[in-house]
Amino acid sequence: MLIDGRTLNEGEVIKTDICILGGGPAGITLANELNGSNLKVALLDAGGEQYEANIQQFYEADSVPNFYPDPQISRLRFLGGASNHWANNTSPFSPLDFEKRDWIANSGWPIGYDDLAPYYIKAAEYCQTGGDGYSSEYWLPLMELDDLMQDAMYSQLSIAKASLPPTRFYVSHGKSLVESANVYIYKYASVIDLEFDESEKRVVAATFTAYNGKQYKVLSDRFVLSMGGLENARMLLLFNEKYNGKLGNESDNVGRYFMDHPTMNAAHLISEVTRLDSMSRLEGQRFLVAFFELTEKVLREEKLINLRMPVTSITEYGMSDGISSFHILKNSLIKGELPDYFFTHYGNLILDADMVIEAIARKQFDTKVFDSAKNKSGYQIPMMVEQIPERNNRIHLSAKKDQLGLNKLSIEWNVSEQNRELMWRALEVFARDMGITSIGRLRLLRERASRLFGDQMGFGHHHMGTTRMSDTPENGVVDENCKVFGVGNLYIAGSSVFPTGSHVPPTLTITALSVRLADHLKGIREGYHEQ
């Protein structure tokens, strides 16, 4: 059933067995898994069924680092959440992603790949990418790419899949909830408070508003925060201010270990292997992409992070070293400095003068000069970088408040020097394989680092790690069942519980964890309270 929160009578109290706070992919999946059970479920979402600017503004952060996107842009505050503008690119995590790696501090999940693997099957159904898996042994022969890496020693091809059109979780999976006899969706229901019984160590109620000055209360046996990687932590920080850190924050872990996926073009591949133009394939209502990644063997031996490395063709203009060097030299000289790799940049400027002139002509005069600029010159690698979980990468509460009187969030985030160096080392290892397999020559663009990790850095907008899963409350916020430490009936769903973020988009794993959480919640017998 779908209920407009604005139509409720002021002070109305809703009683339910499970209350899900947030209607993005995690919340929609969880509600669907509980649909048809003997549990009464209330799902509260802060928005309606469409984008509304006056509601979206509540995602605005008070401060973000240079170049980092404000969550008001990257998140969406209505039913379906960020799935309303994602590209639906999905891949599973690998077994190594769940393991403790001695060369990556703070790594390791309290569950293993085998604990989650069965849930990936149903997760793919929710993402609408099909039940035929992500096995490269199955897909690469169909894409005629199976022998491309047969001589490779360090890397391999793996598969990503997306549905066409991209799956919008509420549009695709909301109808069954609207028609449900036991699930009640409350739209325009923005949570502003939790009531915590400190003696019983249980959340008693959630309070929400419908942006109309009125407040309503939900009484429930269990509560699940599923508001996204930023809002889960923001709201938990707000609740903990009231209860002195007793909701999973006695070790000051809430909001910390914040990860995203930096994206960038840090290497060019010079190759004449035409099959690199066939790394993607339409398969009915799905889009398949083959991408390069390092093998688990070499990741262990060389102690590296992993990179997701698709390839796309690039023109002579797009591959120009001179254009990039021109910008780096200009920015450094404005500051009265000499950049790193000065002589490399100077040489690029001279040797690639025609493309520099082309860039100036396009920007200043909106005209094209050289026909050669459009010629194919090689391949770029728009890679996605695994980020190391760093304790000081975090979100915290600002003193500034939104129109509901709740503290806005502030973000502290960067890519550490260790993370950058491991990225370059991983690319060096991958470059060896390009030579071994005779695919081509990989040129690392180290001299562009100031821009790659600056104005040219992109983001997956994958907010992870802020309420991390752990064996102990000293190292995390939730246990292996996503239950908040120190609270008997509060759970968290979504990528905020990821201890590490892998190198692939997180939604398939978010969905798999939500299906697993639903099984756990259904397995708790009526009247039984976890401690």
Side-chain angles (χ1 to χ4, degrees):
M1 182 177 294
L2 180 63
I3 300 167
D4 190 326
R6 298 170 299 186
T7 66
L8 299 174
N9 296 319
E10 185 168 13
E12 187 162 336
V13 176
I14 299 162
K15 295 183 179 180
T16 189
D17 296 310
I18 297 177
C19 180
I20 302 169
L21 309 176
I28 294 292
T29 300
L30 182 58
N32 267 281
E33 288 296 297
L34 298 172
N35 186 13
S37 70
N38 60 359
L39 297 165
K40 185 178 180 181
V41 179
L43 186 154
L44 312 184
D45 193 86
E49 295 172 86
Q50 302 292 333
Y51 175 90
E52 297 173 59
N54 63 318
I55 293 177
Q56 182 68 19
Q57 67 176 331
F58 287 95
Y59 272 163
E60 181 185 29
D62 177 36
S63 63
V64 296
N66 284 341
F67 311 117
Y68 199 81
D70 191 296
Q72 187 178 14
I73 298 170
S74 61
R75 303 293 87 191
L76 287 175
R77 195 176 174 95
F78 64 103
L79 282 161
S83 74
N84 289 297
H85 66 180
W86 74 317
N88 196 197
N89 196 311
T90 63
S91 295
F93 282 18
S94 71
L96 183 62
D97 290 322
F98 295 88
E99 295 178 17
K100 172 67 178 174
R101 289 167 276 174
D102 58 14
W103 64 97
I104 296 181
N106 308 309
S107 61
W109 294 51
I111 62 173
Y113 175 82
D114 290 342
D115 295 308
L116 200 57
Y119 298 100
Y120 272 129
I121 299 170
K122 186 169 279 191
E125 294 176 9
Y126 278 109
C127 293
Q128 298 180 324
T129 56
D132 40 17
Y134 293 77
S135 166
S136 54
E137 287 79 9
Y138 176 78
W139 287 111
L140 293 180
L142 296 177
M143 299 174 72
E144 299 181 353
L145 294 170
D146 51 312
D147 62 346
L148 187 63
M149 299 293 286
Q150 63 181 355
D151 297 323
M153 296 179 62
Y154 311 109
S155 54
Q156 62 192 18
L157 282 173
S158 294
I159 296 296
K161 295 196 293 186
S163 69
L164 292 175
T167 300
R168 311 304 186 214
F169 268 68
Y170 180 70
V171 173
S172 298
H173 306 301
K175 186 174 184 290
S176 60
L177 299 179
V178 172
E179 297 175 350
S180 173
N182 70 301
V183 177
Y184 298 79
I185 300 175
Y186 293 85
K187 61 181 180 177
Y188 302 110
S190 186
V191 178
I192 57 174
D193 195 15
L194 285 188
E195 293 180 31
F196 178 58
D197 185 325
E198 297 188 51
S199 62
E200 294 290 328
K201 296 183 179 180
R202 296 177 57 78
V203 174
V204 176
T207 301
F208 69 91
T209 180
Y211 309 101
N212 53 9
K214 300 176 182 179
Q215 295 184 3
Y216 316 93
K217 189 170 290 189
V218 180
L219 307 180
S220 184
D221 187 40
R222 280 157 277 165
F223 294 84
V224 183
L225 272 176
S226 59
M227 298 180 177
L230 297 177
E231 285 293 290
N232 278 349
R234 177 196 176 210
M235 298 307 293
L236 202 54
L237 286 169
L238 285 166
F239 304 147
N240 271 299
E241 283 204 327
K242 182 178 178 181
Y243 296 107
N244 299 314
K246 293 180 180 178
L247 283 74
N249 201 33
E250 291 188 304
S251 299
D252 187 28
N253 288 317
V254 175
R256 294 188 178 274
Y257 304 100
F258 175 47
M259 298 170 288
D260 202 328
H261 286 132
T263 62
M264 62 192 71
N265 294 303
H268 286 155
L269 177 59
I270 314 301
S271 175
E272 309 226 346
V273 177
T274 57
R275 276 189 294 170
L276 292 174
D277 294 316
S278 304
M279 296 278 278
S280 60
R281 170 191 176 102
L282 281 173
E283 181 75 18
Q285 294 297 111
R286 297 176 299 174
F287 186 66
L288 277 67
V289 176
F291 63 90
F292 293 104
E293 64 176 359
L294 300 181
T295 65
E296 289 198 7
K297 182 175 183 291
V298 77
L299 290 170
R300 294 180 194 278
E301 292 175 350
E302 300 283 345
K303 299 185 181 300
L304 298 172
I305 59 170
N306 214 343
L307 308 174
R308 179 180 181 272
M309 298 178 285
V311 297
T312 59
S313 62
I314 188 172
T315 64
E316 190 172 321
Y317 180 78
M319 191 175 272
S320 169
D321 293 319
I323 295 173
S324 182
S325 291
F326 171 78
H327 287 290
I328 291 171
L329 286 168
K330 181 185 72 173
N331 292 338
S332 295
L333 291 174
I334 288 173
K335 298 175 183 177
E337 303 171 348
L338 285 181
D340 294 336
Y341 304 98
F342 171 77
F343 290 106
T344 298
H345 291 304
Y346 181 75
N348 289 342
L349 201 64
I350 300 302
L351 295 173
D352 211 9
D354 55 345
M355 291 301 104
V356 176
I357 294 169
E358 178 76 16
I360 294 171
R362 290 186 182 190
K363 184 172 183 179
Q364 298 295 329
F365 306 107
D366 194 25
T367 187
K368 298 179 180 179
V369 179
F370 297 102
D371 289 339
S372 60
K374 63 185 179 183
N375 294 340
K376 177 182 172 182
S377 186
Y379 298 87
Q380 63 182 352
I381 302 175
M383 66 185 189
M384 187 173 286
V385 182
E386 179 180 8
Q387 186 169 21
I388 295 171
E390 307 271 359
R391 182 171 174 79
N392 289 332
N393 278 347
R394 61 182 296 208
I395 73 158
H396 57 90
L397 298 179
S398 163
K400 293 183 180 179
K401 297 187 177 183
D402 62 24
Q403 293 177 358
L404 295 177
L406 305 180
N407 300 75
K408 292 185 176 184
L409 61 82
S410 291
I411 297 173
E412 296 178 17
W413 181 91
N414 68 75
V415 183
S416 69
E417 286 300 321
Q418 180 195 10
N419 216 141
R420 298 182 191 204
E421 188 54 35
L422 288 177
M423 183 199 81
W424 291 119
R425 283 180 50 203
L427 280 171
E428 288 170 358
V429 170
F430 178 58
R432 293 181 218 162
D433 253 354
M434 293 298 94
I436 290 169
T437 58
S438 299
I439 288 176
R441 179 174 65 87
L442 192 74
R443 181 176 178 276
L444 276 60
L445 306 177
R446 270 186 179 264
E447 72 277 7
R448 302 189 189 184
S450 62
R451 297 194 74 201
L452 292 173
F453 290 100
D455 64 309
Q456 289 186 338
M457 182 163 55
F459 301 91
H461 307 294
H462 303 148
H463 304 142
M464 303 172 287
T466 56
T467 63
R468 68 198 321 256
M469 185 187 292
S470 176
D471 285 322
T472 67
E474 289 74 26
N475 297 314
V477 177
V478 302
D479 67 13
E480 64 179 18
N481 293 314
C482 298
K483 187 176 73 67
V484 173
F485 287 118
V487 188
N489 65 335
L490 178 61
Y491 298 80
I492 299 180
S495 54
S496 66
V497 306
F498 292 8
T500 51
S502 187
H503 62 299
V504 295
T507 305
L508 188 72
T509 301
I510 291 172
T511 310
L513 279 171
S514 299
V515 177
R516 181 176 180 269
L517 175 56
D519 276 0
H520 176 74
L521 293 174
K522 286 185 287 188
I524 299 175
R525 63 187 182 274
E526 187 176 357
Y528 172 78
H529 302 315
E530 288 194 331
Q531 300 299 320

